[in-house]
Structure formats: C-alpha cells, structure tokens
Amino acid sequence: MSPAQDYHTAVENAAMSLTVLPTSDATPTPAPGVYYNSRLDPKNFLEGPLSPNPSTRLRQMLARPGIVVAPGICDGISARCALEAGFDCLYQSGAATTASRLGQPDLAIATLNDFAEAGQMVSSLNPSVPVIADADTGFGGPANVARTIKTYIRAGIAALHIEDQVQTKRCGHLMGKQVVSREEFLTRIRAAVLARDSIPGGSDFVIIGRTDSAQVLGMDEAIIRLKLAAAAGADVCFIEGVKTKELLESTVNALAPTPVLVNVISGGLTPAFTYQQAEEMGAKIIIFSLVSCVAMVHAVRAAMHSLKKTGTDFISAQGMDPKKFFEVMGLQEVVELDAKAGGTAFQVV
C-alpha cells in the first residue's frame, strides 16, 4: 500500500469515528489524523466586532447565529447592485463568470486567470465584504491547487470551493457529470489546506469542499466524501444537487458540526428554497449562483429587442440617465475621494 493510500485509510477511519466529547466548552476533540488548527477554531470568532478582513469576517459570520446569504454575481454591475441591495457576502459563480467574461457555457473553458481577475475586481469594490469564489477543480494537480489558493488570497477573495469533478467539468446542474476518486479529491483539499497554512503570518482564508458525486455515485458516497474533506481540513462542506428538504436536513445532521453550503439555481436540481427555509433546515451558507446573470439575460434581451423594434433605447432606460447609472457604479465615492485629496476635477459632474 502506498503512503498516499495509508494516509487515505487513516483519515477515512478517523473521519468516520470523529465525535464531540463531553467537555465543559463542547470543543470538538479531533480523532488522530484529523486536521485541526487551534487558531482557526470557530470559538475564536464568536465575539468582537466584525473584522475588516474579509476572510476573518466570513469566519465570524459562520461562527455566529444566522445564515450567510450570498447572491451570485457575474461582473462589476451585478456586484454593485448586490452591494446596493445590502448583501453582506457575495458569491462569484464560475458559470456566471465564464458567461460574462467569455460568453461561453460552464464547461471548464475559463482559466485560473479568468476567475482570479474577476474576483480581484469584485473584492476591491468593498474590501470588507467577503467574496466566496468558485475554483472549479483547482485547475490541476496539487501544485496548481496551491497556486490557486495563493492567487485567490492575493486577490482579496475570502473563500473558495474546490470540487471532485474531473478536469473537464461541467455545471453541477447539468447531466453527465464524472467525478474523480475519493483520494484525488482529498489530494485537492489537502493541497489547498497546506497552501493556506503556508501563508506567512497566518491566513483565515476559508476552504470549502464540494462534491458532485450525489448524482453520480449516490448520496451515501457524497456524505462520505464530505466527511473526509472536513477531516482533511475543509472549513465548509458543499453538496451539489440536494434534491429534497429531507436530504438537505439529513446532510446537515450527518456533517455536523461542519457548516453546510447549499446552492439554489431556479430550475436546477435543488428546489427553490428561500434562505429562510434553508436556515430552518440547518444550512449555514446559501448561494444563488445565477440570480444576476439570468436576470441580465432577460433584461438585455428585452432591451435589444425593444431597440430593434422601436429604434430607440428610451423604453429600456426606464428614466435612468448616465449620472444615475454612474451613481450605482460608485460615482459619489470617486467624487468624495477626489475632493478629500484636494482635487478639483469632479466639482461638477
């Protein structure tokens, strides 16, 4: 048996037997071989003001009551609209990023650079608001996964999820998915954790393990994979394509105390749960992956058809003149910064 297989067996056995011992503060006692980092223990994030560091802030949100609601954004416009609506966490969907940046379907066409550049732009709009970003399969082997982690951290992203699909992956709500072995999936998670923990000074970056195996190998296998991912150091578990309320509840119970993320896409494999319903079922994060880009397709289609038919954009503008548009994009922030710096370029706009 190879060293990798020995490690796999040790972690699997430990993960299956991981329990919480009856201590005074109910702190989980990890079984041998299970990843534990005392600095990242959730109890360290229960008190105090929310941090301006987005990864730390996300850990605080995960440790405290309430579900984390992250609307899917696809570009600067959708991110600005989500922030204006008052959301305190954003989700950079891989499907939406691929569509908005490349005009392509979610079929492993976008690269690490496409995702990281989009994430850096979105994270810069309000650097304290956590951005959870899709990272597909990590874009390669362990060295590539490590590079992905470090690139996302430098971009200001707060968290990412890595999945167990094969490299030529597809949207989790399409048919015909294929997944790698448990061990290859765990290799990706371990590489991500090692890369995060190697950051000088320590990083609070949140690593989310995602499995697409429920539709391929069944729910039991999906739960096993996520237990193994948590034992290897994943901070959150993401099971794609949970088809019923009962399955989501049983998943949450099986993976406790690890937080569970649920992905809702209208018309997809998962029912259209509201975030209130998901919270009642025990989910800790809910993402609405395509909420912005699907709405954008409808709106832009309607505007283009209207322009073609009427010869003007007056109807689709709905009274929004250029200044009002730029105000949504942060015009006032730029004007105020210029004035505070002593500039005079934008005294009249």
Side-chain angles (χ1 to χ4, degrees):
M1 184 177 286
S2 70
Q5 290 173 320
D6 286 336
Y7 182 88
H8 178 157
T9 302
V11 171
E12 181 171 357
N13 291 339
M16 296 304 105
S17 63
L18 181 60
T19 57
V20 178
L21 299 181
T23 58
S24 59
D25 58 359
T27 299
T29 300
V34 173
Y35 174 87
Y36 178 72
N37 185 331
S38 60
R39 190 180 63 79
L40 300 179
D41 194 304
K43 70 175 182 293
N44 297 331
F45 301 90
L46 286 170
E47 299 178 350
L50 289 176
S51 172
N53 178 285
S55 295
T56 305
R57 179 177 290 234
L58 181 58
R59 286 188 179 275
Q60 291 172 319
M61 294 164 71
L62 291 172
R64 302 175 189 189
I67 191 169
V68 177
V69 182
I73 51 91
C74 58
D75 59 7
I77 295 175
S78 57
R80 284 287 188 184
C81 290
L83 293 171
E84 181 186 56
F87 286 100
D88 53 12
C89 186
L90 303 178
Y91 174 62
Q92 182 184 307
S93 159
T97 301
T98 303
S100 64
R101 292 181 69 86
L102 305 179
Q104 297 288 340
D106 186 15
L107 298 174
I109 297 171
T111 66
L112 167 59
N113 289 343
D114 293 319
F115 280 42
E117 289 169 7
Q120 184 176 35
M121 178 273 295
V122 169
S123 299
S124 72
L125 298 180
N126 187 331
S128 292
V129 173
V131 174
I132 301 170
D134 194 344
D136 282 357
T137 61
F139 305 104
N144 302 83
V145 171
R147 178 171 179 256
T148 297
I149 292 288
K150 294 175 182 178
T151 301
Y152 276 39
I153 291 174
R154 286 195 299 270
I157 296 167
L160 60 64
H161 60 76
I162 295 179
E163 66 200 52
D164 59 356
Q165 284 199 54
V166 297
Q167 293 294 335
T168 50
K169 61 146 290 176
R170 63 193 62 196
C171 170
H173 291 254
L174 294 178
M175 299 298 102
K177 293 188 291 184
Q178 299 178 60
V179 295
V180 298
S181 67
R182 289 183 193 175
E183 177 57 26
E184 186 168 346
F185 176 45
L186 287 182
T187 297
R188 294 173 183 174
I189 299 299
R190 290 195 295 265
V193 172
L194 287 167
R196 190 267 315 280
D197 290 353
S198 72
I199 300 295
S203 171
D204 290 344
F205 190 76
V206 176
I207 295 169
I208 302 170
R210 163 179 158 172
T211 183
D212 285 73
S213 61
Q215 289 76 53
V216 184
L217 303 173
M219 284 294 296
D220 288 345
E221 175 65 19
I223 295 298
I224 290 173
R225 288 183 178 223
L226 291 180
K227 284 185 176 182
L228 293 171
D235 302 294
V236 178
C237 288
F238 173 1
I239 185 166
E240 184 66 289
V242 180
K243 293 185 176 181
T244 67
K245 170 181 181 291
E246 292 73 23
L247 285 176
L248 178 55
E249 289 175 333
S250 63
T251 298
V252 169
N253 291 333
L255 296 173
T258 305
V260 171
L261 180 154
V262 62
N263 179 23
V264 173
I265 298 177
S266 182
L269 295 172
T270 301
F273 299 133
T274 66
Y275 66 80
Q276 295 94 337
Q277 291 171 331
E279 183 174 15
E280 290 173 359
M281 296 174 215
K284 189 59 186 178
I285 304 176
I286 184 169
I287 57 176
F288 296 88
S289 294
L290 300 184
V291 62
S292 62
C293 59
V294 168
M296 196 174 294
V297 167
H298 288 307
V300 174
R301 270 182 166 175
M304 293 301 175
H305 284 296
S306 176
L307 175 60
K308 182 72 172 178
K309 181 178 180 180
T310 67
T312 176
D313 69 345
F314 180 79
I315 295 174
S316 61
Q318 300 181 51
M320 178 176 279
D321 61 31
K323 185 175 181 180
K324 290 179 180 177
F325 171 72
F326 295 138
E327 285 173 348
V328 179
M329 297 304 111
L331 174 65
Q332 196 57 37
E333 298 170 21
V334 177
V335 170
E336 291 175 0
L337 173 63
D338 184 77
K340 288 179 180 178
T344 59
F346 303 122
Q347 288 181 329
V348 178
V349 290

